[in-house]
Amino acid sequence: MRHARRNVQRIARFAAIGGLACGGLMVTQAMASETSGDTKTPNAETRAARTGQELVSELGDSRTAGSWIDAKGRPVVAVTDEKAAAEVREEGAVAKVVRHTMRDLKSATEALKDAPKVAGTSWAMDYKTNQVVVRADTTVSAAEWARLTEVAEGIGASVRMERTEGTFTPRLNGADAMFAGSGRCSAGFNVTNGQNNFILTAGHCGPVGTTWFSDQQGSKQVGSTVSGSFPGGDFSLVRYAPGTTLSGADIVAVGGGQGIRIVGAADPAVGQKVFRSGSTTGLQSGQVTGLNATVNYPQGTVTGLIETTVCAEPGDSGGPMIADGLAMGITSGGSGDCKAGGTTFFQPVTKALDSLGVKLATDPGAAGQAAPSSGSTGGADNDAAAAVPPGTASTAPGGAVLPGAMGPASTVPEGQTDNAASALDRLGEYRNLGPGLFVIAGSLLALVALRIRSERGRKRYRNQYSQSWG
């Protein structure tokens, strides 16, 4: 009976993959349907992640402790007994027998949650080591660290303590996507509830009632925040202003005239390679290192996050995390930068979609067109006109601006002067000649470095997931 049930599940698993290739099936419960005519199939790493997640779900929390992708791209499932290990191997996955169950790890996180909150700390489940890892940034004092260590020791061997460099902060200021009184933030994905269209972005970007504009002067309204969660979660909905048309809504622009079509949403696996698009640092890559992470920001505690090695800097907040054409996360915050590296946390897209009662917006009219042709006209560097942030020189097909699709970092918001251009204007004044040259040199070097980083990020994504590259 068990073998028969597993055969049915295996067939269903293959059917789901086949359905993704044919178009029309939901990739997960929380996903938008793939556009018709699309012939993409999941990348091997995505298939491995799905296999591990399904096995964990089938075996349950008392017999497993998570799954991940190993260096060879194979799904690995942590199990607590040899019988479960045999079942995992029967499905073609790798089994690792561990001491602590998923229930044990969850119990540890609950105990940490009940302890006094300390800003600058985080914890996440490290499936590979079968522990919950507690990290403290440089703002945590020695006395606070000692108290945390005492809590961890009281929980037991399922908890490990680590110090980390940098400071855990939300990545808000300095983006070139959406402007409000609370600052500037990147837009994530376009979503819909069937009646209205919204931008899904980070919750810390602004509370309900925040009005967003595509220019710093506040003359071009994008929409307003109508719901969200922060702290607790880190997601929000910005409802588009009346009359906005979402053509090309399912494309995430990554600069250089290139875009990636989003075909659905999924939860990542530990060890999976992921990419993040941000207004400040362009397209960056890294690996998922932990799930169900909790971060104690100075503004409050956020739970259920994805922990990664993807770098991020102020201005990348709210931007999309993707892999294999699937929406996976919204940039929340972290520590470090893209020079020295760091840790970045993401709000899972699937949880945000479920909580808000929306689904990813799709664009059937643009099926088969992952990005505009190289002949598209628009903003600086001929960046994709199919999906760019508000305030850039480019517009979407039909003239609509699409802030919900992340644009390249090299564009400059309307109403905000480019540093290099401003410096050139200042050369007209003789007394500013010396300082102007220094400003120009610094600005040009920064632009060149950013252009190189963005191009490297695009090449990494294309090499990893050629089927979703346009």
Side-chain angles (χ1 to χ4, degrees), residues 105 108-109 112 123-126 130-134 158-160:
L105 299 182
T109 60
L112 291 166
W123 53 82
M125 295 183 185
D126 185 348
N130 193 224
Q131 291 177 309
V132 174
V133 183
V134 179
S158 61
V159 178
R160 185 174 83 250

Side-chain angles (χ1 to χ4, degrees), residues 10-47:
R10 187 184 294 118
I11 293 170
R13 192 177 300 159
F14 292 153
I17 296 175
L20 179 61
C22 296
L25 285 185
M26 302 289 278
V27 183
T28 72
Q29 294 290 339
M31 295 178 190
S33 298
E34 187 178 357
T35 53
S36 59
D38 207 327
T39 58
K40 302 178 181 69
T41 55
N43 172 271
E45 196 171 64
T46 301
R47 295 196 302 271

Side-chain angles (χ1 to χ4, degrees), residues 436-448:
L437 288 174
F438 281 111
V439 172
I440 291 174
S443 298
L444 290 178
L445 285 173
L447 288 173
V448 169

Side-chain angles (χ1 to χ4, degrees), residues 176-438:
D176 63 354
M178 302 187 300
F179 298 85
S182 59
R184 292 176 288 174
C185 217
S186 299
F189 300 96
N190 284 309
V191 298
T192 181
N193 63 2
Q195 297 178 329
N196 296 297
N197 297 317
F198 309 87
I199 303 164
L200 178 63
T201 189
H204 71 260
C205 288
V208 172
T210 300
T211 301
W212 295 93
F213 299 89
S214 62
D215 63 329
Q216 286 181 307
Q217 290 72 33
S219 61
K220 299 180 180 179
Q221 184 174 340
V222 174
S224 58
T225 303
V226 294
S227 63
S229 174
F230 183 82
D234 197 359
F235 53 86
S236 65
L237 285 180
V238 176
R239 183 164 58 197
Y240 278 104
T244 305
T245 302
L246 295 187
S247 177
D250 57 346
I251 292 179
V252 169
V254 292
Q258 302 291 340
I260 296 166
R261 183 172 300 284
I262 302 302
V263 299
D267 293 319
V270 172
Q272 185 170 4
K273 188 172 185 178
V274 292
F275 292 78
R276 174 201 53 73
S277 182
S279 299
T280 300
T281 57
L283 194 66
Q284 301 290 335
S285 64
Q287 280 193 330
V288 175
T289 53
L291 301 175
N292 298 313
T294 294
V295 186
N296 293 304
Y297 294 127
Q299 298 87 343
T301 300
V302 181
T303 62
L305 299 178
I306 303 164
E307 181 188 79
T308 74
T309 62
V310 186
C311 70
E313 297 178 9
D316 291 326
S317 202
M321 183 182 82
I322 55 180
D324 203 13
L326 297 172
M328 292 189 169
I330 306 162
T331 306
S332 175
S335 63
D337 55 36
C338 287
K339 292 181 180 179
T343 299
T344 301
F345 299 94
F346 296 85
Q347 165 68 51
V349 165
T350 53
K351 182 178 178 181
L353 295 177
D354 285 342
S355 298
L356 295 167
V358 295
K359 65 179 182 178
L360 292 171
T362 57
D363 182 26
Q369 182 183 343
S373 65
S374 59
S376 301
T377 60
D381 304 323
N382 206 27
D383 284 316
V388 296
T392 61
S394 299
T395 56
V401 175
L402 298 179
M406 193 64 248
S410 57
T411 55
V412 180
E414 289 179 341
Q416 180 177 335
T417 307
D418 178 90
N419 291 335
S422 176
L424 286 172
D425 292 339
R426 291 166 58 193
L427 281 178
E429 299 183 36
Y430 179 80
R431 65 177 180 272
N432 288 332
L433 181 59
L437 288 174
F438 281 111

